Structures are given as structure tokens and as C-alpha cells.
Amino acid sequence: MNAVAAKDAVDSSEMLAIAEHKGCPTADRSGKATCGSQASQRDLPTEIWEKVKDHPCYSEEAHHHYARMHVAVAPACNIQCNYCNRKYDCANESRPGVVSERLTPEQAARKVFAVATSIPQMTVLGIAGPGDPLANPDKTFKTFDLVAEVAPDIKLCLSTNGLALPDYVDAIARSSIDHVTITINMIDPEIGAEIYPWVFFNHKRYTGREAAKILTDRQLQGLKMLNERGILCKINSVMIPGINDQHLVEVNKAVKSRGAFLHNIMPLISAREHGTVFGLNGQRCPTAQELKALQDACEGQTSMMRHCRQCRADAVGLLGEDRSAEFTIEKVMTMDVKYNLEMRKAYHAKVEDERAAKIAARQEELAEIAGETSEITPLVAVATKGSGLINEHFGHAKEFQVYELSTSGAKFVGHRRVDVYCQDGYGEEDRLATIIRAISDCHAVFVAKIGGCPKSNLIKAGIEPVDQYAHEFIEKAAIAWFRSYLDKVESGEIQHVKRGDAAIRQGALISAA
């Protein structure tokens, strides 16, 4: 056992008591924690529910209804990561560290008010870079203070690598920042040395194992301090195959023991054209199936965030969309911005009515399979524009949301980004093949509409295209389909086979082989 692991073992009982008090106080009927991404109002203490109910990153259900925005006021960074290359003016690139404009705190505040007026479902302001917010503390806290003075209803979020975090916990608390995300990719400095070339700490640059040791100690210290002050902490971890993928199970245990509210394991983005060290040396990204397996292995005492879109540092809109081009500083400066708190409250009340209807519909459908048990847990893909509805045409989908179905309901397990199939009114056959590969482990795909050609190809690939639930709530429709699917399996009409790249269902659906 290395020194870090030994220290974790010694501290675990003490930290678990803290975590149980402020982190994950409730569990579902299987014993799994329900504090985070997929928790509902009945699962959480009132004060925690108020913090997460309309936060699209901390609540999977909320991300269907509420939007976030990031402002790029923090260009400097105090560490270097082998998966990061902070570029500017890259409007067509969607990944952390990328922005098209760097803003002053005053420009950022005006942009926040403009977005909140134009997009009333925007509930969260985050500062996530493009460097590290706490390496730019004056700009970061001034921006938050300017926004809080005019818009007290907007939740304030900060994302950091954690190196400077212990020095600013008190400032975070004073600024009423209720949500902090810390990127923690390792607790073993030997592994950390493969991820971080250097850190800059106390006016000195450190490299290798020494740098990683400083970073992990500071991260875990900061997480503990935030938890003691009742500030919700989400942990981001980048899954890097062959480097930290297996180790992230130990990271999960360490952050849970220090009170992490939510753990978000994200896939490495390492395309060569991004110019990162990992991209240039050919480090591969994990597959969707590998990512899900790791998330499943970590899910238990810590809730997993599975709906992350790895946003740009200047993203605007619902998760999965980016409307930042509508709010360049040039456009914002010409807008007539009048922040209307009462209008926003009225809009949110309507959203909550919609959410209540969705929940009621889901519960109604679940009542139909109450008491039933089955080991069958198929995956289904869904084309959606948001609001928890099946409301996207197959050919227009930029991603598919994936749900795992069981007699307990529909569980969101991730999303699969794809290239849009329809181009100028015509389908791109090469893109269709990549879409089918992206959802090859799914038994069905739910869409608002689908053309004859993709429908035929999906059926040949063993994926059932489902369009009879167009514009209905996702979970209600998925559970209804699942009930019908179980009936067909029980009657022998079809045979259930767990799908993978080569797995097929026999009977109703025929393989293209």
C-alpha cells in the first residue's frame, strides 16, 4: 500500500462521518446513495434540494429543463495537464478550455444579465476558465460579486483544479458560492506524474511526482474544507485508458470519504488536431462502453453524474447546446438589458409545473409494472431537444441520450455524440453507419420522426426504431415500451440477447449479418 492509500485508510472512518452528515444522507431501496445526479425531492434534505433542484449539472432531471452559462474571465492557469490546450477564438470546438472571447468582470456581468433576460431558464453561472478561476482570484470573485448584487436568484458555481483551493475556501463561502467542482484525476503521485507535467505553487514550479503529490494533497484538503462549510462539491475525473482508468475507483473512494456530493467521470478528449500532449502522442479515448463500465463500478456510495457535456469555458444554454454565438460581447453591448426577477420566477414556476407533469406520468407508468421483477435491462437511445421529451428527428440529432430500463424504471446512463445524419435535405450514408455504431449496444432508438432508409438500416442492425411515442415524456414512453418488450420476451415472440457490437435480438428483429 502506498503512502497515499495508507493515509486514506487511516482517515476514512473520520471522513465518512462528515460525508454521511453533509454528503449523501439517503439511499434508495437497493442501498445505493441517491444524493446526487438522479436524486428527487423525497431523497434529499430540504436545504440540499433547494441547491440542486434547478442546477443542470448537479441534477440529471433538472438538465432537461434548466440552462447554465460560463463566463471566460480566468485565462491564467497554475498547472499543466497533458489533456488540455487552452485555445482562443475556436467557435467550432466544444471542449473545456476553449473560448472565443475573454471578458472583464464588468463585461461578464453584463453578459450574464443579457443571457438571463433572454433565456429565463438559465439558473446557473459558472466560472471554469479557460484557465483556473483561483489562479485569477480577483477577476473571479469580482465577477461573482457583480452578478450577485443584481441577480441573487442565479446560482454561483466555480470549477477548479484545486491547487489553490485551500487558500480561498473562506472567500468562496463569503461570496455565497454554493457549488464547487474540483478536477481530481488521481490520488497516487506516480499516476499523477503521467498526467501533469508541472504545477506552479508558492512561486515555484514543480515537476514529476513532486508536483503531483502537492496537487493531490491540496485537492483533498480543499474538498474536506468545503464540505465542512456545507458547500456542495462535484468531482470531475478524466478517464485516460491505460493511465488512470482503473485507479479512478480508488479516487472515487477517496473523494466520497471527504464528502463529495457527486462524481463525474468524463472520457478523455484527445484528437490530434487539438494539440494536446495526449492528442499528439496518440493516447486513445475510452469507448462509451468502457466509460459506462467504470461509472457502474464506482456507483454505490457516491452518486455518478452521467449527463456531463464537457462544456466550453464560454458555453451558454441547455447542456448539449451552445448559444454563445448569440451573446458575443459586441452583441451584448447593443442589447437593452433589464433584469426582471419577477418574470424569471414566473417562468420557473411554469417549468416546475412541467416537471411535475413529467414525474406524474412516469409514476403512472411505473405503477403498471409494480411488483414485477426481471433480470432484463436493455439500453435504449433517445433523440431529444430537451424538456424531457422525445422531440427530435433522427436525422437532426447531434446526440442520443441513453437509458437503461428495468422494472425499477428508466435510468439515464449517458449520451452518445454523433454527426448529424441529414445534410441539406439528404441523408449521409457514411454518417448513418457511425450513428449505428455509436448506439450499437442499444435495443431501440426513440425518435420524433425517422425516414425509411435509416429505419431499414437500424432494423437490419438489430436496433428497433420507435416513433410512436413522438413528443411524449421520455421516461413514460420508455417504460411503456419496456413493458411491451417484456411481454414479447415472455410470450416467446422475441428472444432477449444482451447487445454489444455483435449482439443481436432474434425473432422480431433480424440481424444484417
Side-chain angles (χ1 to χ4, degrees):
M1 180 182 291
N2 62 35
V4 174
K7 185 176 185 298
D8 285 339
V10 172
D11 290 348
S12 62
S13 60
E14 174 191 352
M15 291 298 101
L16 188 57
I18 296 172
E20 287 174 345
H21 177 62
K22 292 181 179 176
C24 302
T26 57
D28 64 18
R29 61 189 178 189
S30 69
K32 292 183 178 180
T34 54
C35 64
S37 183
Q38 295 180 320
S40 64
Q41 185 171 3
R42 66 179 181 275
D43 299 320
L44 298 172
T46 300
E47 67 274 14
I48 302 296
W49 173 249
E50 289 301 317
K51 292 181 180 181
V52 305
K53 68 177 183 180
D54 57 357
H55 195 306
C57 299
Y58 281 69
S59 166
E60 185 274 322
E61 201 276 327
H63 101 276
H64 295 291
H65 305 279
Y66 291 106
R68 86 303 186 218
M69 71 174 295
H70 295 164
V71 290
V73 298
C77 199
N78 48 9
I79 72 172
Q80 179 60 51
C81 310
N82 282 335
Y83 54 77
C84 181
N85 181 17
R86 295 186 302 280
K87 289 184 178 179
Y88 300 101
D89 201 21
C90 298
N92 295 320
E93 233 179 292
S94 184
R95 61 184 177 86
V98 174
V99 298
S100 293
E101 295 179 322
R102 284 175 285 179
L103 307 176
T104 66
E106 292 78 11
Q107 290 173 326
R110 182 173 177 84
K111 181 174 179 177
V112 171
F113 305 143
V115 170
T117 301
S118 303
I119 307 176
Q121 65 266 44
M122 193 280 280
T123 54
V124 174
L125 164 65
I127 299 180
D132 188 86
L134 298 182
N136 306 259
D138 293 342
K139 295 176 181 178
T140 294
F141 289 109
K142 184 173 183 180
T143 301
F144 282 137
D145 290 344
L146 289 171
V147 171
E149 184 178 350
V150 176
D153 61 314
I154 293 179
K155 289 179 168 58
L156 305 180
C157 248
L158 182 149
S159 296
T160 177
N161 58 48
L163 180 63
L165 181 57
D167 301 329
Y168 291 100
V169 168
D170 289 338
I172 288 170
R174 284 196 302 269
S175 294
S176 300
I177 299 168
D178 284 331
H179 307 78
V180 174
T181 294
I182 314 168
T183 299
I184 301 179
N185 295 316
M186 56 84 207
I187 55 171
D188 182 341
E190 295 294 339
I191 293 174
E194 299 185 60
I195 303 173
Y196 305 103
W198 55 261
V199 307
F200 191 79
F201 178 64
N202 280 350
H203 310 290
K204 181 179 177 181
R205 180 174 296 207
Y206 296 85
T207 61
R209 189 184 186 282
E210 186 179 18
K213 179 67 167 61
I214 292 170
L215 179 60
T216 187
D217 287 349
R218 299 279 290 176
Q219 290 172 332
L220 297 179
Q221 179 189 358
L223 171 59
K224 177 183 174 183
M225 293 171 69
L226 288 171
N227 183 54
E228 289 170 344
R229 287 161 174 78
I231 296 169
L232 296 187
C233 294
K234 174 168 68 73
I235 305 304
N236 282 355
S237 298
V238 180
M239 179 184 179
I240 311 166
I243 294 180
N244 74 342
D245 45 352
Q246 300 303 313
H247 177 61
L248 286 178
V249 175
E250 297 306 313
V251 172
N252 177 264
K253 294 176 182 177
V255 300
K256 165 58 187 176
S257 72
R258 289 162 175 80
F261 181 77
L262 197 60
H263 194 185
N264 173 30
I265 298 179
M266 310 175 292
L268 172 70
I269 300 174
S270 64
R272 186 175 182 83
E273 59 268 23
H274 296 158
T276 65
V277 171
F278 283 147
L280 294 173
N281 71 15
Q283 170 64 49
R284 76 172 180 89
C285 307
T287 66
Q289 290 75 22
E290 287 172 331
L291 177 65
K292 181 181 182 298
L294 178 57
Q295 291 170 332
D296 289 347
C298 291
E299 189 168 58
Q301 291 305 307
T302 306
S303 290
M304 302 301 297
M305 176 183 180
R306 299 179 187 248
H307 60 283
C308 175
R309 300 306 196 273
Q310 294 175 276
C311 304
R312 290 166 53 100
D314 58 2
V316 174
L318 295 169
L319 295 192
E321 74 172 3
D322 184 11
R323 297 177 58 180
S324 58
E326 300 174 34
F327 299 95
T328 64
I329 196 60
E330 182 180 359
K331 293 178 181 178
V332 165
M333 296 308 293
T334 65
M335 293 180 181
D336 182 19
V337 179
K338 295 180 181 178
Y339 195 81
N340 188 328
L341 180 57
E342 294 307 313
M343 179 274 289
R344 284 174 50 79
K345 287 181 178 179
Y347 186 92
H348 293 173
K350 290 183 179 180
V351 171
E352 290 305 310
D353 288 343
E354 184 178 274
R355 290 177 73 178
K358 173 187 169 184
I359 293 169
R362 178 183 63 203
Q363 293 304 116
E364 180 182 344
E365 204 62 48
L366 277 173
E368 296 295 326
I369 55 173
E372 292 188 31
T373 59
S374 174
E375 296 298 316
I376 294 175
T377 56
L379 298 180
V380 298
V382 181
T384 177
K385 295 177 182 178
S387 299
L389 300 171
I390 303 167
N391 56 4
E392 181 66 283
H393 191 295
F394 175 86
H396 300 160
K398 297 178 181 178
E399 69 169 29
F400 291 90
Q401 297 187 7
V402 177
Y403 289 78
E404 183 177 75
L405 308 183
S406 71
T407 50
S408 296
K411 175 185 176 182
F412 181 87
V413 296
H415 66 279
R416 311 284 170 81
R417 289 177 177 166
V418 297
D419 292 327
V420 175
Y421 170 62
C422 285
Q423 298 291 318
D424 299 321
Y426 297 93
E428 292 282 348
E429 296 312 309
D430 289 344
R431 293 187 175 189
L432 179 58
T434 63
I435 293 171
I436 290 175
R437 282 197 296 271
I439 60 173
S440 62
D441 54 346
C442 296
H443 285 72
V445 56
F446 289 71
V447 297
K449 193 174 181 180
I450 186 170
C453 178
K455 178 181 285 190
S456 173
N457 279 275
L458 284 164
I459 292 173
K460 288 178 181 178
I463 304 170
E464 180 184 353
V466 181
D467 57 4
Q468 65 262 39
Y469 300 107
H471 303 287
E472 293 190 20
F473 289 119
I474 293 171
E475 293 182 39
K476 173 181 170 64
I479 296 167
W481 176 89
F482 180 59
R483 285 197 297 113
S484 174
Y485 180 78
L486 288 181
D487 290 342
K488 291 176 182 178
V489 172
E490 186 176 349
S491 69
E493 183 178 345
I494 61 174
Q495 178 182 349
H496 174 78
V497 178
K498 187 174 181 179
R499 288 191 56 82
D501 289 341
I504 62 168
R505 277 183 297 161
Q506 300 171 340
L509 300 178
I510 303 173
S511 169

